Protein backbone atom coordinates (compact mmCIF):
# COMPACT_ATOMS: atom_id res chain seq x y z
CA UNK A 1 0.00 0.00 0.00
CA UNK A 2 1.42 3.39 -1.03
CA UNK A 3 -0.17 6.68 -0.08
CA UNK A 4 0.17 10.20 -1.38
CA UNK A 5 -1.44 13.22 0.29
CA UNK A 6 -2.44 15.94 -2.15
CA UNK A 7 -2.87 18.63 0.49
CA UNK A 8 -2.67 18.79 4.28
CA UNK A 9 -4.64 21.75 5.58
CA UNK A 10 -7.57 19.80 7.09
CA UNK A 11 -5.29 17.43 8.97
CA UNK A 12 -4.00 20.30 11.07
CA UNK A 13 -7.45 21.85 11.51
CA UNK A 14 -8.76 22.28 15.08
CA UNK A 15 -12.23 21.07 14.11
CA UNK A 16 -13.16 17.46 14.79
CA UNK A 17 -12.14 15.60 11.66
CA UNK A 18 -13.50 12.50 10.00
CA UNK A 19 -11.70 10.20 7.58
CA UNK A 20 -13.94 9.64 4.54
CA UNK A 21 -13.64 6.96 1.88
CA UNK A 22 -14.10 8.92 -1.33
CA UNK A 23 -14.45 7.11 -4.65
CA UNK A 24 -15.80 10.22 -6.36
CA UNK A 25 -19.15 8.50 -6.95
CA UNK A 26 -22.46 9.98 -5.87
CA UNK A 27 -22.82 8.37 -2.43
CA UNK A 28 -19.34 9.07 -1.08
CA UNK A 29 -19.44 12.60 -2.48
CA UNK A 30 -22.66 13.58 -0.73
CA UNK A 31 -21.37 12.03 2.50
CA UNK A 32 -18.36 14.36 2.38
CA UNK A 33 -20.69 17.29 1.71
CA UNK A 34 -22.89 16.22 4.64
CA UNK A 35 -19.90 16.08 7.00
CA UNK A 36 -18.65 19.49 5.88
CA UNK A 37 -22.14 20.90 6.43
CA UNK A 38 -21.92 19.80 10.10
CA UNK A 39 -18.76 21.88 10.51
CA UNK A 40 -16.47 18.83 10.57
CA UNK A 41 -13.07 18.61 8.93
CA UNK A 42 -12.72 15.89 6.31
CA UNK A 43 -9.67 13.96 5.21
CA UNK A 44 -10.69 11.98 2.13
CA UNK A 45 -9.04 8.70 1.17
CA UNK A 46 -9.24 7.48 -2.40
CA UNK A 47 -8.21 3.88 -3.06
CA UNK A 48 -6.95 3.10 -6.54
CA UNK A 49 -6.22 -0.25 -8.17
CA UNK A 50 -5.77 -1.54 -11.73
CA UNK A 51 -9.51 -2.30 -11.69
CA UNK A 52 -10.91 1.20 -11.03
CA UNK A 53 -12.91 2.60 -13.92
CA UNK A 54 -12.57 6.07 -12.37
CA UNK A 55 -8.79 6.23 -12.86
CA UNK A 56 -7.06 9.34 -14.27
CA UNK A 57 -6.37 7.47 -17.54
CA UNK A 58 -10.09 7.04 -18.13
CA UNK A 59 -10.98 10.58 -17.01
CA UNK A 60 -8.77 12.93 -18.93
CA UNK A 61 -5.80 12.83 -16.55
CA UNK A 62 -7.57 13.72 -13.30
CA UNK A 63 -9.22 11.13 -11.08
CA UNK A 64 -12.87 11.65 -10.19
CA UNK A 65 -11.97 11.66 -6.53
CA UNK A 66 -9.41 14.44 -7.13
CA UNK A 67 -12.03 16.50 -9.00
CA UNK A 68 -14.58 15.98 -6.23
CA UNK A 69 -12.07 16.75 -3.45
CA UNK A 70 -11.10 19.93 -5.26
CA UNK A 71 -14.70 20.99 -5.77
CA UNK A 72 -15.46 20.40 -2.06
CA UNK A 73 -12.12 21.85 -0.93
CA UNK A 74 -11.06 18.85 1.15
CA UNK A 75 -7.71 17.12 1.43
CA UNK A 76 -7.29 13.89 -0.45
CA UNK A 77 -4.92 11.04 0.26
CA UNK A 78 -4.54 8.58 -2.60
CA UNK A 79 -4.04 5.01 -1.39
CA UNK A 80 -2.68 2.54 -3.94
CA UNK A 81 -3.88 -1.02 -3.59
CA UNK A 82 -0.80 -3.13 -4.28
CA UNK A 83 0.22 -6.78 -4.11
CA UNK A 84 -1.29 -7.10 -0.62
CA UNK A 85 -4.68 -6.33 -2.16
CA UNK A 86 -4.14 -8.56 -5.19
CA UNK A 87 -3.40 -11.51 -2.90
CA UNK A 88 -6.77 -10.88 -1.28
CA UNK A 89 -8.42 -10.81 -4.71
CA UNK A 90 -6.81 -14.17 -5.43
CA UNK A 91 -7.95 -15.75 -2.17
CA UNK A 92 -10.64 -13.78 -0.32
CA UNK A 93 -11.84 -14.94 3.09
CA UNK A 94 -15.46 -14.02 2.41
CA UNK A 95 -15.88 -15.05 -1.21
CA UNK A 96 -16.67 -13.34 -4.49
CA UNK A 97 -19.61 -11.50 -5.95
CA UNK A 98 -20.75 -12.15 -9.51
CA UNK A 99 -17.21 -11.77 -10.87
CA UNK A 100 -13.83 -11.87 -9.14
CA UNK A 101 -14.95 -9.01 -6.89
CA UNK A 102 -14.26 -9.86 -3.24
CA UNK A 103 -16.40 -6.99 -1.97
CA UNK A 104 -16.47 -7.85 1.72
CA UNK A 105 -12.72 -8.44 1.91
CA UNK A 106 -12.17 -5.34 -0.20
CA UNK A 107 -14.19 -3.15 2.18
CA UNK A 108 -12.35 -4.61 5.17
CA UNK A 109 -9.00 -4.00 3.45
CA UNK A 110 -9.82 -0.34 2.79
CA UNK A 111 -11.28 0.26 6.23
CA UNK A 112 -8.26 -1.25 7.96
CA UNK A 113 -6.13 1.37 6.16
CA UNK A 114 -8.68 4.06 6.99
CA UNK A 115 -8.64 3.03 10.66
CA UNK A 116 -4.86 3.45 10.70
CA UNK A 117 -5.22 6.94 9.19
CA UNK A 118 -7.92 7.79 11.74
CA UNK A 119 -5.58 6.87 14.60
CA UNK A 120 -2.63 8.63 12.99
CA UNK A 121 -4.54 11.90 12.50
CA UNK A 122 -6.72 11.83 15.62
CA UNK A 123 -9.90 11.81 13.54
CA UNK A 124 -13.12 10.93 15.41
CA UNK A 125 -14.35 8.23 13.02
CA UNK A 126 -14.35 6.85 9.51
CA UNK A 127 -17.32 7.64 7.27
CA UNK A 128 -18.40 5.86 4.10
CA UNK A 129 -21.11 6.21 1.48
CA UNK A 130 -22.46 2.71 2.14
CA UNK A 131 -26.23 2.40 2.02
CA UNK A 132 -28.06 -0.45 3.73
CA UNK A 133 -29.43 -2.86 1.13
CA UNK A 134 -27.89 -1.12 -1.87
CA UNK A 135 -25.41 -3.86 -2.87
CA UNK A 136 -26.39 -7.48 -2.50
CA UNK A 137 -23.05 -8.81 -1.29
CA UNK A 138 -21.54 -6.20 0.99
CA UNK A 139 -24.34 -3.87 2.11
CA UNK A 140 -26.91 -6.08 3.79
CA UNK A 141 -27.05 -5.74 7.54
CA UNK A 142 -24.97 -8.80 8.46
CA UNK A 143 -22.26 -7.81 5.97
CA UNK A 144 -22.13 -4.25 7.33
CA UNK A 145 -21.72 -5.60 10.87
CA UNK A 146 -19.06 -8.09 9.77
CA UNK A 147 -17.12 -5.39 7.91
CA UNK A 148 -17.22 -3.08 10.92
CA UNK A 149 -16.01 -5.81 13.25
CA UNK A 150 -13.24 -7.10 10.99
CA UNK A 151 -11.89 -3.62 10.27
CA UNK A 152 -11.39 -2.90 13.98
CA UNK A 153 -13.69 0.12 13.77
CA UNK A 154 -16.45 -0.95 16.17
CA UNK A 155 -18.32 2.22 17.14
CA UNK A 156 -16.12 4.37 14.92
CA UNK A 157 -17.54 3.50 11.50
CA UNK A 158 -20.31 5.88 10.51
CA UNK A 159 -22.49 5.30 7.45
CA UNK A 160 -24.26 8.68 7.39
CA UNK A 161 -26.68 7.81 4.58
CA UNK A 162 -28.17 4.91 6.60
CA UNK A 163 -27.20 6.00 10.11
CA UNK A 164 -30.75 5.95 11.48
CA UNK A 165 -31.14 2.31 10.45
CA UNK A 166 -27.93 1.32 12.27
CA UNK A 167 -26.74 1.54 15.90
CA UNK A 168 -25.37 4.98 16.88
CA UNK A 169 -21.62 5.40 16.67
CA UNK A 170 -19.42 6.79 19.46
CA UNK A 171 -19.07 10.31 17.97
CA UNK A 172 -22.86 10.45 17.58
CA UNK A 173 -23.39 9.32 21.20
CA UNK A 174 -20.84 11.91 22.37
CA UNK A 175 -22.59 14.63 20.37
CA UNK A 176 -19.53 15.34 18.20
CA UNK A 177 -21.58 14.41 15.14
CA UNK A 178 -25.28 15.38 15.28
CA UNK A 179 -27.21 12.13 14.77
CA UNK A 180 -30.39 14.03 13.94
CA UNK A 181 -28.67 15.35 10.80
CA UNK A 182 -27.84 11.86 9.58
CA UNK A 183 -30.09 10.00 7.12
CA UNK A 184 -32.18 6.84 6.88
CA UNK A 185 -31.69 5.75 3.27
CA UNK A 186 -31.85 2.13 2.17
CA UNK A 187 -32.15 0.14 -1.03
CA UNK A 188 -30.88 0.45 -4.56
CA UNK A 189 -32.56 3.62 -5.79
CA UNK A 190 -30.21 6.57 -6.22
CA UNK A 191 -33.05 9.10 -6.53
CA UNK A 192 -32.84 10.31 -2.89
CA UNK A 193 -29.08 10.81 -3.23
CA UNK A 194 -29.53 12.77 -6.47
CA UNK A 195 -32.10 14.96 -4.71
CA UNK A 196 -29.69 15.53 -1.80
CA UNK A 197 -26.88 16.41 -4.22
CA UNK A 198 -29.13 18.99 -5.85
CA UNK A 199 -30.33 20.39 -2.55
CA UNK A 200 -26.78 20.73 -1.17
CA UNK A 201 -25.28 22.12 -4.35
CA UNK A 202 -23.10 19.11 -5.14
CA UNK A 203 -22.36 19.30 -8.85
CA UNK A 204 -19.18 17.25 -9.33
CA UNK A 205 -19.49 13.51 -8.86
CA UNK A 206 -18.95 10.34 -10.87
CA UNK A 207 -21.35 7.79 -12.26
CA UNK A 208 -23.99 7.13 -9.57
CA UNK A 209 -23.21 3.41 -9.22
CA UNK A 210 -19.41 3.58 -9.58
CA UNK A 211 -17.33 1.05 -11.49
CA UNK A 212 -15.02 -1.84 -10.72
CA UNK A 213 -13.61 -4.11 -13.42
CA UNK A 214 -13.53 -7.04 -11.00
CA UNK A 215 -17.28 -7.35 -11.59
CA UNK A 216 -16.70 -7.67 -15.36
CA UNK A 217 -16.91 -11.33 -16.49
CA UNK A 218 -14.22 -10.92 -19.16
CA UNK A 219 -11.70 -9.27 -16.82
CA UNK A 220 -12.54 -11.82 -14.12
CA UNK A 221 -11.83 -14.68 -16.53
CA UNK A 222 -8.47 -13.20 -17.51
CA UNK A 223 -7.48 -12.58 -13.92
CA UNK A 224 -8.44 -16.10 -12.93
CA UNK A 225 -6.25 -17.34 -15.76
CA UNK A 226 -3.38 -15.25 -14.35
CA UNK A 227 -3.84 -16.65 -10.84
CA UNK A 228 -4.22 -20.23 -12.07
CA UNK A 229 -1.57 -20.35 -14.79
CA UNK A 230 1.17 -17.84 -13.82
CA UNK A 231 2.92 -18.98 -10.64
CA UNK A 232 5.05 -15.81 -10.65
CA UNK A 233 2.21 -13.33 -11.35
CA UNK A 234 2.64 -9.76 -10.18
CA UNK A 235 1.00 -6.33 -10.45
CA UNK A 236 1.94 -6.05 -14.13
CA UNK A 237 -0.17 -9.13 -14.88
CA UNK A 238 -3.14 -7.57 -13.07
CA UNK A 239 -2.79 -4.36 -15.08
CA UNK A 240 -2.38 -6.29 -18.34
CA UNK A 241 -5.58 -8.20 -17.59
CA UNK A 242 -7.52 -4.95 -18.11
CA UNK A 243 -6.10 -4.29 -21.58
CA UNK A 244 -6.32 -5.71 -25.11
CA UNK A 245 -7.28 -9.19 -26.36
CA UNK A 246 -6.01 -12.22 -24.45
CA UNK A 247 -5.12 -15.64 -25.83
CA UNK A 248 -3.60 -18.68 -24.20
CA UNK A 249 -1.71 -20.67 -26.83
CA UNK A 250 -0.77 -23.41 -24.35
CA UNK A 251 -0.54 -23.72 -20.55
CA UNK A 252 2.84 -21.96 -20.49
CA UNK A 253 2.22 -19.08 -22.93
CA UNK A 254 -0.26 -16.22 -23.05
CA UNK A 255 -0.42 -13.55 -25.78
CA UNK A 256 -1.94 -10.11 -25.23
CA UNK A 257 -2.79 -8.07 -28.34
CA UNK A 258 -3.52 -4.35 -28.52
CA UNK A 259 -6.85 -3.42 -30.10
CA UNK A 260 -5.83 0.01 -31.37
CA UNK A 261 -2.86 2.37 -31.53
CA UNK A 262 -3.48 3.58 -27.97
CA UNK A 263 -3.48 0.06 -26.54
CA UNK A 264 -0.42 -0.87 -28.61
CA UNK A 265 1.47 2.05 -27.09
CA UNK A 266 0.32 1.15 -23.58
CA UNK A 267 1.33 -2.48 -24.03
CA UNK A 268 4.81 -1.35 -25.11
CA UNK A 269 5.05 0.82 -21.99
CA UNK A 270 3.78 -1.85 -19.63
CA UNK A 271 5.76 -4.77 -21.09
CA UNK A 272 8.96 -4.14 -19.11
CA UNK A 273 11.09 -7.29 -19.50
CA UNK A 274 8.36 -9.20 -21.37
CA UNK A 275 8.86 -9.94 -25.10
CA UNK A 276 7.03 -7.57 -27.47
CA UNK A 277 6.02 -8.69 -30.98
CA UNK A 278 4.92 -6.53 -33.93
CA UNK A 279 5.21 -6.36 -37.73
CA UNK A 280 8.50 -4.97 -39.03
CA UNK A 281 7.26 -2.46 -41.60
CA UNK A 282 3.48 -2.65 -41.56
CA UNK A 283 0.87 -1.32 -39.19
CA UNK A 284 -0.78 -3.95 -37.02
CA UNK A 285 -1.33 -4.99 -33.44
CA UNK A 286 1.41 -5.11 -30.85
CA UNK A 287 1.58 -8.28 -28.79
CA UNK A 288 3.11 -8.95 -25.39
CA UNK A 289 4.08 -12.52 -24.57
CA UNK A 290 3.76 -13.83 -21.03
CA UNK A 291 5.36 -17.18 -20.25
CA UNK A 292 7.85 -19.28 -22.15
CA UNK A 293 7.90 -19.65 -25.91
CA UNK A 294 9.58 -21.94 -28.41
CA UNK A 295 10.33 -21.21 -32.08
CA UNK A 296 7.07 -22.84 -33.16
CA UNK A 297 5.13 -20.60 -30.81
CA UNK A 298 6.50 -17.52 -32.56
CA UNK A 299 5.16 -18.78 -35.89
CA UNK A 300 1.73 -19.08 -34.26
CA UNK A 301 1.99 -15.59 -32.74
CA UNK A 302 2.75 -14.15 -36.19
CA UNK A 303 -0.30 -15.91 -37.63
CA UNK A 304 -2.41 -14.58 -34.75
CA UNK A 305 -1.26 -11.00 -35.37
CA UNK A 306 -2.28 -11.33 -38.99
CA UNK A 307 -5.86 -12.14 -38.00
CA UNK A 308 -6.17 -8.62 -36.65
CA UNK A 309 -4.44 -6.89 -39.61
CA UNK A 310 -6.86 -7.09 -42.53
CA UNK A 311 -4.50 -5.15 -44.81
CA UNK A 312 -1.93 -7.96 -44.84
CA UNK A 313 -4.19 -10.43 -46.67
CA UNK A 314 -2.37 -12.63 -49.20
CA UNK A 315 1.20 -11.51 -48.61
CA UNK A 316 4.04 -12.65 -46.38
CA UNK A 317 4.70 -10.31 -43.50
CA UNK A 318 7.93 -9.81 -41.57
CA UNK A 319 7.47 -10.11 -37.79
CA UNK A 320 9.84 -9.04 -35.05
CA UNK A 321 10.18 -9.98 -31.40
CA UNK A 322 12.05 -7.57 -29.13
CA UNK A 323 13.24 -8.55 -25.68
CA UNK A 324 16.09 -7.24 -23.51
CA UNK A 325 17.67 -5.38 -26.45
CA UNK A 326 17.67 -8.45 -28.71
CA UNK A 327 15.55 -9.06 -31.82
CA UNK A 328 14.22 -12.19 -33.47
CA UNK A 329 12.79 -11.96 -36.99
CA UNK A 330 10.56 -14.36 -38.89
CA UNK A 331 7.87 -14.38 -41.56
CA UNK A 332 4.14 -14.91 -41.13
CA UNK A 333 2.81 -16.48 -44.34
CA UNK A 334 -0.82 -16.83 -43.37
CA UNK A 335 -3.39 -16.05 -40.69
CA UNK A 336 -4.58 -18.32 -37.91
CA UNK A 337 -7.93 -19.95 -38.58
CA UNK A 338 -11.08 -18.71 -36.86
CA UNK A 339 -11.50 -21.96 -34.92
CA UNK A 340 -7.89 -21.75 -33.69
CA UNK A 341 -8.37 -18.16 -32.52
CA UNK A 342 -11.60 -19.10 -30.76
CA UNK A 343 -9.90 -22.00 -28.97
CA UNK A 344 -7.08 -19.73 -27.71
CA UNK A 345 -9.24 -16.82 -26.55
CA UNK A 346 -9.40 -16.26 -22.79
S1 LIG B 1 -16.96 -3.51 -6.39
FE1 LIG B 1 -14.71 -3.69 -6.49
S2 LIG B 1 -13.92 -1.85 -5.43
FE2 LIG B 1 -16.10 -2.08 -4.86
S3 LIG B 1 -16.05 -3.24 -2.93
FE3 LIG B 1 -16.32 -4.72 -4.61
S4 LIG B 1 -14.23 -5.39 -5.11
FE4 LIG B 1 -14.04 -3.49 -3.92
Amino acid sequence: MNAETLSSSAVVSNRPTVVALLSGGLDSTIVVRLMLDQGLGVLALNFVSPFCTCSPRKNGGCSLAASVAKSLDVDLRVMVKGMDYLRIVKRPRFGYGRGLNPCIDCRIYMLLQAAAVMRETGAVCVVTGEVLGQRPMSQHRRALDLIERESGLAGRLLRPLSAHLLPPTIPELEGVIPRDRMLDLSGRSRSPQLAIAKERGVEVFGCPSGGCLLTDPVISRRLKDVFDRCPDWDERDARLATLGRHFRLHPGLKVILGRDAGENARLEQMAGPLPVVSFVDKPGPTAVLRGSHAENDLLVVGRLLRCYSPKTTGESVAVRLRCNGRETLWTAHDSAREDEVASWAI
Side-chain angles (χ1 to χ4, degrees), residues 47 49 51-52 81 85 89 100-107 110 135 137-139 211-215:
F47 287 82
S49 81
F51 315 113
C52 298
K81 294 167 161 178
Y85 177 69
V89 174
L100 230 58
N101 49 313
C103 293
I104 292 179
D105 293 82
C106 178
R107 302 298 304 177
M110 293 189 285
R135 292 178 185 243
M137 181 178 187
S138 60
Q139 293 182 6
C212 169
L213 291 174
L214 290 172
T215 61

Side-chain angles (χ1 to χ4, degrees), residues 216-276:
D216 181 315
V218 174
I219 305 296
S220 297
R221 206 162 54 234
R222 293 174 182 177
L223 204 55
K224 185 160 173 20
D225 176 82
V226 166
F227 292 151
D228 290 349
R229 302 284 184 87
C230 299
D232 58 342
W233 65 270
D234 58 19
E235 285 183 64
R236 186 196 326 272
D237 294 298
R239 286 197 298 276
L240 286 171
T242 67
L243 196 66
R245 296 183 167 95
H246 288 232
F247 303 91
R248 183 157 290 285
L249 299 194
H250 57 69
L253 178 61
K254 182 166 70 170
V255 182
I256 303 158
L257 251 64
R259 288 175 294 193
D260 54 38
E263 286 199 343
N264 289 343
R266 290 197 60 223
L267 282 174
E268 292 258 7
Q269 277 171 8
M270 289 164 66
L274 302 179
V276 175

Side-chain angles (χ1 to χ4, degrees), residues 3-319:
E4 179 194 346
T5 304
L6 299 186
S7 166
S8 62
S9 56
V11 183
V12 296
S13 145
N14 289 327
R15 298 176 289 175
T17 296
V18 299
V19 172
L21 300 199
L22 179 67
S23 66
L26 174 61
D27 295 342
S28 61
T29 300
I30 60 173
V31 160
V32 171
R33 179 74 267 165
L34 191 60
M35 293 295 104
L36 291 171
D37 290 348
Q38 310 317 312
L40 297 156
V42 174
L43 170 58
L45 303 185
N46 176 232
F47 287 82
V48 294
S49 81
F51 315 113
C52 298
T53 58
C54 302
S55 71
R57 177 173 60 80
K58 296 174 178 101
N59 293 286
C62 180
S63 81
L64 280 174
S67 305
V68 168
K70 193 169 172 213
S71 74
L72 296 174
D73 194 22
V74 297
D75 296 336
L76 179 72
R77 199 179 282 195
V78 178
M79 316 285 278
V80 180
K81 294 167 161 178
M83 278 299 284
D84 51 351
Y85 177 69
L86 294 173
R87 285 189 203 98
I88 290 171
V89 174
K90 181 180 179 188
R91 199 164 287 128
R93 283 170 67 201
F94 300 106
Y96 295 114
R98 66 190 155 109
L100 230 58
N101 49 313
C103 293
I104 292 179
D105 293 82
C106 178
R107 302 298 304 177
I108 294 168
Y109 171 89
M110 293 189 285
L111 288 168
L112 281 168
Q113 322 295 327
V117 174
M118 179 189 81
R119 287 190 284 272
E120 169 210 321
T121 58
V124 295
C125 68
V126 174
V127 299
T128 74
E130 289 163 302
V131 172
L132 184 64
Q134 186 181 85
R135 292 178 185 243
M137 181 178 187
S138 60
Q139 293 182 6
H140 57 81
R141 180 59 198 271
R142 267 185 301 118
L144 291 180
D145 290 348
L146 170 71
I147 289 166
E148 177 175 333
R149 213 168 43 244
E150 291 287 330
S151 58
L153 276 167
R156 297 270 174 199
L157 176 55
L158 174 61
R159 282 105 169 190
L161 301 184
S162 295
H164 283 289
L165 307 174
L166 299 167
T169 58
I170 293 167
E172 288 170 290
L173 290 170
E174 291 176 344
V176 178
I177 295 178
R179 185 166 170 80
D180 60 338
R181 305 280 172 80
M182 301 298 106
L183 306 174
D184 60 354
L185 306 186
S186 65
R188 299 176 72 88
S189 168
R190 292 308 211 290
S191 307
Q193 288 92 317
L194 286 167
I196 292 165
K198 194 170 176 196
E199 179 192 309
R200 292 180 181 261
V202 176
E203 289 172 353
V204 180
F205 55 84
C207 44
S209 55
C212 169
L213 291 174
L214 290 172
T215 61
D216 181 315
V218 174
I219 305 296
S220 297
R221 206 162 54 234
R222 293 174 182 177
L223 204 55
K224 185 160 173 20
D225 176 82
V226 166
F227 292 151
D228 290 349
R229 302 284 184 87
C230 299
D232 58 342
W233 65 270
D234 58 19
E235 285 183 64
R236 186 196 326 272
D237 294 298
R239 286 197 298 276
L240 286 171
T242 67
L243 196 66
R245 296 183 167 95
H246 288 232
F247 303 91
R248 183 157 290 285
L249 299 194
H250 57 69
L253 178 61
K254 182 166 70 170
V255 182
I256 303 158
L257 251 64
R259 288 175 294 193
D260 54 38
E263 286 199 343
N264 289 343
R266 290 197 60 223
L267 282 174
E268 292 258 7
Q269 277 171 8
M270 289 164 66
L274 302 179
V276 175
V277 180
S278 55
F279 294 144
V280 174
D281 51 11
K282 288 194 183 305
T286 294
V288 169
L289 308 191
R290 180 68 169 95
S292 54
H293 61 270
E295 211 170 296
N296 275 349
D297 294 325
L298 294 187
L299 297 177
V300 176
V301 173
R303 294 176 60 230
L304 180 59
L305 256 67
R306 287 197 53 157
C307 293
Y308 294 95
S309 331
K311 289 187 181 156
T312 60
T313 313
E315 52 181 319
S316 295
V317 182
V319 189

